[in-house]
Amino acid sequence: MSWANVVSRCGLLLGLLTAHPVIAQEEGINDYPTTARADYVFACMAANGGTRLALERCSCSIDVIASIFPYERYVQAETALSVGQRPGEGAELFRSNPFMRDLIADLRRAQAEAEVECFP
């Protein structure tokens, strides 16, 4: 990936991230697409043994996350995590940005809440 592409993507993501976050619970909406929920559940099940119990717990987990964390911010946080794991200067922009760190921390808190509630 060229440096221009990295800068362009960083600029686009930073532009998206400047929007004021809206808490999903306040909106009272279910804004996670079915495919996003299914992707999460499949990955979660693979990490937890692929059993029926894992299906129930993983489904619960994404429901809890969705009730806390709006889908748009979920996508932003997942993107920041993904880009931040890459080596290089472009990824360093994500790792060193306080807004990105806060966004990822918010996602981690939602995941921790889901873990407490769904994986007793």
Side-chain angles (χ1 to χ4, degrees), residues 9-90:
R9 288 183 183 193
C10 290
L12 176 62
L13 184 59
L14 287 174
L16 290 172
L17 295 175
T18 59
H20 185 301
V22 177
I23 302 298
Q25 291 174 328
E26 291 176 7
E27 289 286 315
I29 58 174
N30 177 1
D31 61 348
Y32 278 55
T34 302
T35 54
R37 288 176 180 268
D39 284 343
Y40 179 93
V41 170
F42 285 138
C44 177
M45 285 181 65
N48 289 285
T51 64
R52 174 68 186 183
L53 181 59
L55 170 65
E56 292 170 7
R57 289 178 172 174
C58 293
S59 297
C60 171
S61 181
I62 191 61
D63 288 345
V64 170
I65 291 168
S67 74
I68 298 170
F69 210 70
Y71 180 67
E72 181 177 319
R73 288 193 38 92
Y74 175 82
V75 170
Q76 293 168 351
E78 288 290 329
T79 301
L81 278 169
S82 176
V83 172
Q85 292 174 352
R86 295 181 179 183
E89 289 180 43

